[in-house]
């Protein structure tokens, strides 16, 4: 069971609590987690990544095990701690300002 933490605005859109638990088939990657998330919560399609290219949206970041994975390959395997559910996969809305 994969644990995913969503930012508040996406929680409200999907009408879920702070943590979502997902069954993900096959290798655990950013892509496989986001695919499972969008299947279970179709209202999130296009909010985290582009619907056509699947590129991460600007101002969205991914974290796991205390590391920023935003610029890693979406098809790279995630740490075993994520795959086992011991640690969550975080989707974070970046904050910009000046």
């Amino acid at each position: 069971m994969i644990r995913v933490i969503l930012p508040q605005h996406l929680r409200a859109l999907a009408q879920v609590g702070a943590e979502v638990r997902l069954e993900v088939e096959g290798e655990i990657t950013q892509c496989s987690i986001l695919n499972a998330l969008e299947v279970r919560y179709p209202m999130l399609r296009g909010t985290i990544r582009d619907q056509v290219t699947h590129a991460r949206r600007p101002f969205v970041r991914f974290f796991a095990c205390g590391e920023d994975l935003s610029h890693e390959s979406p098809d790279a395997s995630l740490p075993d701690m994520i795959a086992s559910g011991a640690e969550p996969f975080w989707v974070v809305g970046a904050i910009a300002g000046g």
Side-chain angles (χ1 to χ4, degrees), residues 6 10 15 33 46-47 52 60-61 70 73 78-79 86 97:
L6 296 172
L10 296 181
Q15 298 180 351
I33 290 173
T47 62
V52 176
V60 173
R61 297 283 183 253
S70 304
S73 168
L78 293 176

Side-chain angles (χ1 to χ4, degrees), residues 12-13 15 19 23 33 41 51 54 61 64 69 87 90 94:
L13 182 62
Q15 298 180 351
E19 184 174 288
E23 291 289 339
I33 290 173
Y41 302 101
Q51 286 187 354
H54 289 202
R61 297 283 183 253
L69 303 176
E87 290 284 331
W90 290 75

